[in-house]
Each structure stands twice: as structure tokens, then as C-alpha cells.
């Protein structure tokens, strides 16, 4: 017998966006609170997506009936020139790209690279940090994260000059089209702010990546770097189309390896300033475990509180804060009919803040991840790396890199963020703090 669909609640979302024009993410948070786990529809003029927040509904969309919900439409179409048709698409191209890239992201392979990663992070901290001089937090963290991953995975195939072009270009590419998140009903032919900056960023990325691909193909060198592996895996796909497939995989690799890390780690420093008791515990642990030594993988098992801190950081500030999907066929989720062609909007940012699944959900508390008192919770109440078949390949890499970077900085410095009050997120495809957030790193005085 067919299940009768319940009437769909609707929320007037444009009104919320107007009220939260300076911080649009707050409009989504307000809508999530009002939904209270129900599947609701947001009225955004001609665009009326469904908001999915309850873990049961997240599990249905991302796992149980995942093939019906594809990465098309809102968010995905505007970013298509950046993301391409590889690991961040669907169907056969996604399956093939995941098969090629997955071996580079397994826990075993990441662990084999961990000590080299620690060495690179230590070198880059020493090269980039100027003690006592204020710097932009997002740019400063990116200046460590991006070169670390490029040097680790790409080897000598990409030069320092190329890295210096890729980092700002990728940053622009994932932020320039943020306004289209709120206005997906506007055709691409209609220009919006950020469109030209996005095109220039894609051009810069392609001008770096394509020559490296052609060089690697011409040299046909064996190697463990990503460029060599991809060229070998796609050696039968020649010409412009083959180069494009490799390009799409490389850009996806770059994103999976760096965007999550750089974005999440930018939030660590304002959090430490906002919670001095938590900061004191973390500083004490790093001083005790690492001390004056360069941070290494041997320190990680004893950095227990730091791992808890990172898990809580991902709960309140998941980088991929909004993940739209398009329904291919009509479906029923939580008693609500989702018509074919409709957009559903999932958000770990909202699910992670639901009071039904989290005690004191808005409070930053690493102790909730203490194995001794960690509460049992719904499997899909916490999904900072996505879930289901499309779960982020870079999660093992992040959970290795994040404590190495944080401990690598804190063993020598104490952060002083130049901002009063809470730090608000800005509208972008990833959850980034407001532009212009700066801090100074003050050397630790040890006896």
C-alpha cells in the first residue's frame, strides 16, 4: 500500500535572506531551527528547494536512495567549469575517476606519507610565519596547506611559481560565484558579480595544469606523483578529451586535498581566542607532548585533546556546509513528496546544530568527543565529509594534516586574533570566515 505524503511545510526564505543580508548563512540557520528536523520547502521566488536536515532524511538522500539524487543544478552547474566531469560529478565518469583516485587517499597510503607531510609542514611554518607581524588568517593557512599537498602529491611536476598561481586562482574560483547560491534561477547568460573573476580564475588554473599534463605525457615517466599516475591510468585516452579528463581529476584532487583543510583550519584560531579554557588545555598538551621538537607522527597518538578539538571544529564549522542535489525521479522522504527535478538542500552545518541530537549544540566543547563519555548518536548526525558513496576522499588526509599543522604552530607560537566578538561565516561554496580576518603569532616563551 502506498504511503500517503504529508502536507509540505513552507518557509518564506527570501524574507530571512533580506533580514540577514550581511551574513546569509544565518538565514539558513534560522530556517533549520524552524524546520526542527522536518523536511520543509523554502520559498525563494521562483526557486523552491527542499531543506533536508534530519539524519534519517540525510541517510535516505545520500545513501539509501543515492542514485536518485545527483550533483546537478544549484551550486553544481555554476561551478562546472571548475569541477569538470570527474570525481565531483555522477555516473560513469565519477565511478572511473574515483577508481583512479581512491588509492591515493586510503588511510594506508596517507599514513605512508605522514612523516614527509610533517617535515613539509614544519618547513613551511618556518618559511611563512613572521613572528609578531599581523597576517590574513585565510591566506596564511593556505600558504601552508596548499604547498604541503602539492609538494606531497605532485612532486616536481608543478613548480613553486605554479603553486603561487594556483592558490589564489582556486580561492577565487570557489568564492566568486557565491551569489549564485542564492539566485540559482538566474540564467548563466545573465551576468552577476563575480562571473568575470571566476572566468579569469579558471583560465589561470588551466594555464598551469594543461602544460603539466602535456609534459608528463610527452616524458611518459613512471612515478608516484599524481600527474604521472593519472597520465598512466588514462594513457589510452589521447588528444584534447583525454587531457581534459586528467585535468578534471587533477583539479578535483587539489580540491579534495586542500579546500577542506584550508577552510576548516582557518576557524581554529578564532575558536581558540573565543574559548580561553579550551585553548589553555590545548596549549598544555602540545607543550607536554611536542615541546621544542619539530612535530612528527610519533606525537600524534598522545595529542588526544587536539584530536577532540579537530572533531569539534568540523562539527560546528564543516567546510562543505551546503550540498544540494537534484531528484531524478519523484520520491517520498519523511512522508513528504519530492517531485522529479526538484532541488534538495542538505547541510551538515545545520544537522550538526540540531538540539535533538546534540547537547548544547552551539557550544564548542571538545569533551563531547572524549571516548570515555562520548554519547551514542545517529550515524548521520555527524557528516563533515559528506556521506554515502560520494563521501570525501580527503578525510584521512585531513585528519592527519590538521593536528600536524595546529601542533606545528602551537609548539612555537600563541595566536592573537584581531577581532572582537564572534566571527561570522561569509557566503561561499565552502564555510569560510568573513574576509579580512587577521591574527598575529606571538613566540612562546619557555624557561
Amino acid at each position: 500500500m502506498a504511503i500517503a505524503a504529508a502536507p509540505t511545510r513552507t518557509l518564506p526564505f527570501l524574507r530571512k535572506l533580506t533580514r540577514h543580508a550581511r551574513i546569509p548563512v544565518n538565514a539558513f540557520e534560522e530556517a533549520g531551527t524552524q524546520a526542527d528536523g522536518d523536511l520543509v520547502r523554502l520559498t525563494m521566488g521562483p526557486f523552491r528547494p527542499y531543506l533536508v536536515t534530519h539524519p534519517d532524511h540525510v541517510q535516505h538522500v545520500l545513501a539509501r536512495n543515492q542514485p536518485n539524487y545527483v550533483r546537478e543544478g544549484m551550486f553544481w552547474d555554476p561551478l562546472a567549469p571548475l569541477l569538470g566531469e570527474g570525481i565531483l560529478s555522477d555516473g560513469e565518469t565519477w565511478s572511473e575517476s574515483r577508481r583512479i583516485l581512491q588509492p591515493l587517499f586510503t588511510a594506508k597510503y596517507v599514513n605512508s606519507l605522514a612523516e614527509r607531510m610533517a617535515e613539509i609542514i614544519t618547513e613551511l611554518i618556518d618559511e611563512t610565519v613572521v613572528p609578531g607581524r599581523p597576517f590574513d588568517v585565510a591566506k596564511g593557512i593556505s600558504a601552508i596547506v596548499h604547498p604541503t599537498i602539492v609538494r606531497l602529491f605532485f612532486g616536481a611536476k608543478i613548480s613553486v611559481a605554479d603553486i603561487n598561481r594556483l592558490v589564489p586562482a582556486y580561492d577565487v574560483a570557489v568564492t566568486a560565484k557565491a551569489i549564485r547560491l542564492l539566485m540559482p534561477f538566474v540564467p548563466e547568460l545573465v551576468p552577476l558579480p563575480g562571473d568575470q573573476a571566476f572566468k579569469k580564475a579558471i583560465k589561470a588554473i588551466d594555464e598551469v595544469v594543461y602544460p603539466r599534463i602535456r609534459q608528463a605525457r610527452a616524458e611518459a615517466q613512471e612515478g608516484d606523483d599524481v600527474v604521472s599516475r593519472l597520465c598512466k591510468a588514462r594513457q589510452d585516452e589521447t588528444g584534447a578529451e583525454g587531457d581534459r579528463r586528467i585535468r578534471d581529476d587533477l583539479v578535483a584532487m587539489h580540491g579534495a586535498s586542500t579546500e577542506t583543510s584550508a577552510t576548516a583550519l582557518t576557524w581554529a584560531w578564532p575558536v581558540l581566542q573565543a574559548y580561553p579554557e579550551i585553548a589553555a588545555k590545548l596549549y598544555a598538551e602540545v607543550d607536554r607532548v611536542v615541546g621544542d621538537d619539530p612535530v612528527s607522527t610519533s606525537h600524534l597518538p598522545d595529542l588526544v585533546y587536539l584530536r577532540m578539538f579537530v572533531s569539534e571544529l568540523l562539527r560546528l564549522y564543516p567546510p562543505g556546509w551546503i550540498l544540494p542535489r537534484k531528484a531524478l525521479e519523484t520520491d517520498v522522504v519523511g512522508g513528504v513528496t519530492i517531485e522529479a527535478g526538484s532541488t534538495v538542500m542538505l547541510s551538515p552545518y545545520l544537522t550538526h546544530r540540531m538540539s535533538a541530537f546534540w547537547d548544547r549544540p552551539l557550544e564548542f566543547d571538545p569533551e563531547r568527543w572524549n571516548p570515555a563519555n562520548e554519547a551514542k548518536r545517529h550515524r548521520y548526525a555527524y557528516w563533515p565529509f559528506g556521506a554515502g558513496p560520494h563521501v570525501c576522499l580527503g578525510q584521512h588526509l585531513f585528519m592527519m594534516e590538521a593536528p600536524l599543522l595546529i601542533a606545528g604552530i602551537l609548539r612555537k607560537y600563541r595566536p592573537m586574533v584581531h577581532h572582537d566578538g564572534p566571527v561570522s561565516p561569509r557566503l561561499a561554496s565552502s564555510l569560510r570566515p568573513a574576509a579580512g580576518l587577521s591574527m598575529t603569532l606571538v613566540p612562546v616563551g619557555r624557561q
Side-chain angles (χ1 to χ4, degrees), residues 140-189:
I141 296 301
S142 290
I144 299 172
V145 169
H146 284 258
T148 295
I149 299 305
V150 172
R151 287 167 59 177
L152 195 66
F153 282 112
F154 292 72
K157 292 292 192 299
I158 296 183
S159 67
V160 173
D162 286 340
I163 295 173
N164 292 337
R165 289 193 70 193
L166 275 179
V167 172
Y170 200 92
D171 182 74
V172 170
V174 298
T175 58
K177 285 203 169 187
I179 192 171
R180 289 194 181 272
L181 278 175
L182 303 181
M183 305 177 70
F185 47 83
V186 178
E188 282 288 325
L189 292 175

Side-chain angles (χ1 to χ4, degrees), residues 17-62:
L17 284 175
T18 301
R19 189 163 60 251
H20 298 288
R22 295 186 62 185
I23 311 174
V25 175
N26 288 355
F28 286 91
E29 190 170 354
E30 183 179 311
T33 301
Q34 283 187 263
D36 194 28
D38 291 341
L39 199 148
V40 300
R41 201 162 196 179
L42 306 181
T43 56
M44 303 170 64
F47 183 59
R48 301 179 67 218
Y50 293 90
L51 182 64
V52 176
T53 56
H54 194 285
D56 284 345
H57 305 159
V58 172
Q59 183 175 17
H60 179 92
V61 172
L62 294 184

